[in-house]
Amino acid sequence: MRTLTTTADLSAYCEEAAKHPYVTVDTEFLRERTYYSKLCLVQLAMPGTDDSNAVLVDPLANGISMAPLYKLFRDTSVVKVFHAARQDLEIFFVDDAVFPEPLFDTQVAAMVCGFGEQVGYETLVRKICHTGVDKTSRFTDWSRRPLSDAQKRYALADVTHLRQIYEFLSEKLAESGRARWVEEELEILTNPATYTTAPNDAWKRVKTRTHSARFLAIVRELAAFREEYAQARNVPRNRVYKDDALVELAGLKPTTLDELGRARLLLREGRKGDIADGILKAVAAGLACKPEDMPEPDRSRDRIQVNPALADLLRVLLKAKTEQAGVAAKLIAPAADLDGIAAGQRDLPALKGWRREVFGEDALRLCEGKIALTAVGNDVKVVEV
């Protein structure tokens, strides 16, 4: 189990990896106590059947630079293979504004190939590699040194089995002609907007039960302050204050420290110092917000008029189509999309790209009365009207 601790060794390995059609990649990181993930380990493996060309890279080693790895990521002649890549990609994007290109995510590919929704790595190892994964080091502090042999073996297994999984899924995609489906899904993972939270947009993630524009203006200011504070100090946003405390503060509208002290859900740290000052300023900004500058409540769900019978028919059609395609139903159209289609909405993911081919086109034809559904034995069939 080789661990690379110098930039020179990492550069030599990446130069060799660049000679191969693909490299498998995984990371270990910590995020419990920080806003941004702390990269603790990178695992890499070139094609092969043993562990001789698989390595661990220690980003915490004194003086090491990840520049050779990022150069490999930008080399479009080498496919970079991950499993459930989102958090890994966020680390690299935040660190160096780089996305591995071209990218292959085995979790996305497995869903498209009929392995179910958000299938786990261990499941793929068991079903494709016909072996198991040692889970004993799953919950560990990867920032501590030295790493034990058990930790190293666990980490390496995340990229050595990945080679066989990638080759298997690549072949399946080629046979089925669904490689484009995977490419469409990966466009979201390689979009910078996926990993960028602008403070002024942070309020959209906070769940509230009111359409009051004034209330939402205060929520917006409180969420923006929390996001700015958390990013600047690299602490989790919930360490500043949690969503339920934020909503409570928007309702209380405190203008003094005494009024702030009445908040039941605010942590002790939030009742003094910079956080308390920030809260009071955010509330004041929300109260002073001009009507034309207040956020627009999302009333789309209020206006939706769902045809329940049509929604039920769409669910039957979706079940038939997903069984035929061997793809998880939720991957194609969640319940909200089905209700939206039944209510006449057309700007929905289920009606775009490969989803439209598999389900959306017939869903629209069903809404227009151009097709009907009939049962033939245990199967549901589409009938032209």
Side-chain angles (χ1 to χ4, degrees):
M1 292 179 289
R2 188 156 59 111
T3 302
L4 308 182
T5 58
T6 68
T7 305
D9 286 345
L10 176 58
S11 181
Y13 183 88
C14 290
E15 288 176 5
E16 182 62 29
K19 301 175 183 177
H20 294 270
Y22 72 85
V23 61
T24 55
V25 189
D26 190 39
T27 70
E28 306 297 343
F29 56 87
L30 294 179
R31 197 172 191 171
E32 289 79 7
R33 297 184 295 273
T34 58
Y35 182 92
Y36 300 106
S37 296
K38 178 181 180 180
L39 182 62
C40 299
L41 197 68
V42 180
Q43 305 97 282
L44 303 168
M46 301 179 219
T49 57
D50 58 29
D51 295 349
S52 61
N53 58 6
V55 298
L56 304 174
V57 182
D58 188 355
L60 303 182
N62 187 36
I64 193 170
S65 168
M66 292 293 104
L69 178 63
Y70 297 152
K71 180 181 178 181
L72 178 62
F73 282 174
R74 294 184 173 97
D75 186 342
T76 57
S77 69
V78 184
V79 177
K80 273 63 73 171
V81 182
F82 291 75
H83 180 83
R86 191 192 186 289
Q87 289 183 298
D88 303 314
L89 298 187
E90 182 178 11
I91 292 172
F92 302 131
F93 175 72
V94 169
D95 188 45
D96 199 56
V98 60
F99 287 118
E101 185 184 1
L103 171 69
F104 189 97
D105 189 321
T106 56
Q107 185 178 69
V108 174
M111 289 191 289
V112 168
C113 290
F115 283 85
E117 185 184 11
Q118 294 184 328
V119 60
Y121 180 69
E122 294 162 16
T123 300
L124 294 181
V125 171
R126 186 175 66 253
K127 291 186 175 181
I128 296 175
C129 305
H130 306 293
T131 187
V133 176
D134 182 3
K135 305 177 184 178
T136 55
S137 296
R138 170 179 290 179
F139 302 106
T140 189
D141 184 349
W142 292 100
S143 66
R144 299 189 66 177
R145 297 294 185 269
L147 296 174
S148 67
D149 287 344
Q151 287 174 311
K152 293 179 181 180
R153 283 193 297 270
Y154 171 87
L156 275 180
D158 284 343
V159 289
T160 52
H161 297 308
L162 195 56
R163 298 174 296 194
Q164 185 177 348
I165 293 170
Y166 165 67
E167 292 173 1
F168 176 89
L169 293 175
S170 293
E171 184 177 343
K172 286 290 184 183
L173 290 172
E175 292 173 356
S176 65
R178 296 180 177 180
R180 181 173 55 81
W181 296 12
V182 175
E183 292 172 3
E184 287 184 23
E185 296 301 297
L186 294 183
E187 288 178 1
I188 299 174
L189 288 179
T190 54
N191 184 346
T194 302
Y195 309 100
T196 304
T197 301
N200 283 339
D201 291 331
W203 70 277
K204 297 176 182 178
R205 297 184 177 184
V206 180
K207 294 181 179 179
T208 63
R209 296 182 179 181
T210 178
H211 287 155
S212 165
R214 177 67 63 190
F215 182 90
L216 292 177
I218 300 173
V219 168
R220 181 179 63 189
E221 297 300 327
L222 286 168
F225 163 70
R226 180 178 66 173
E227 205 71 21
E228 291 170 351
Y229 186 95
Q231 290 178 358
R233 291 162 177 78
N234 195 22
V235 296
R237 59 176 66 90
N238 282 346
R239 286 274 297 276
V240 186
Y241 42 81
K242 296 182 179 180
D243 281 2
D244 56 358
L246 188 156
V247 173
E248 181 189 36
L249 289 168
L252 288 175
K253 305 177 184 63
T255 58
T256 66
L257 286 175
D258 184 57
E259 291 177 356
L260 182 62
R262 300 172 190 171
R264 296 181 300 106
L265 302 176
L266 189 62
L267 298 174
R268 182 174 58 186
E269 292 80 2
R271 301 171 185 271
K272 58 185 179 181
D274 292 342
I275 297 179
D277 290 342
I279 291 173
L280 295 178
K281 289 178 181 177
V283 170
L287 290 172
C289 184
K290 297 178 181 178
E292 61 268 24
D293 296 329
M294 293 181 186
E296 287 286 335
D298 182 6
R299 300 184 183 274
S300 59
R301 297 301 298 176
D302 295 344
R303 294 191 299 266
I304 190 171
Q305 297 293 322
V306 179
N307 181 332
L310 181 55
D312 287 342
L313 284 175
L314 287 168
R315 284 170 170 76
V316 175
L317 175 65
L318 177 63
K319 187 174 187 300
K321 290 292 185 178
T322 53
E323 288 179 353
Q324 179 183 346
V327 181
K330 288 184 179 179
L331 181 63
I332 295 179
D337 275 19
L338 297 178
D339 289 342
I341 295 171
Q345 294 179 351
R346 295 296 178 258
D347 186 20
L348 297 166
L351 301 178
K352 299 177 182 178
W354 67 268
R355 290 174 172 83
R356 186 182 182 103
E357 296 175 20
V358 175
F359 168 72
E361 202 67 56
D362 275 345
L364 292 175
R365 295 173 68 209
L366 182 64
C367 293
E368 294 165 1
K370 295 179 179 179
I371 62 172
L373 303 177
T374 184
V376 180
N378 293 326
D379 297 325
V380 173
K381 301 292 185 182
V382 172
V383 179
E384 299 289 337
V385 175

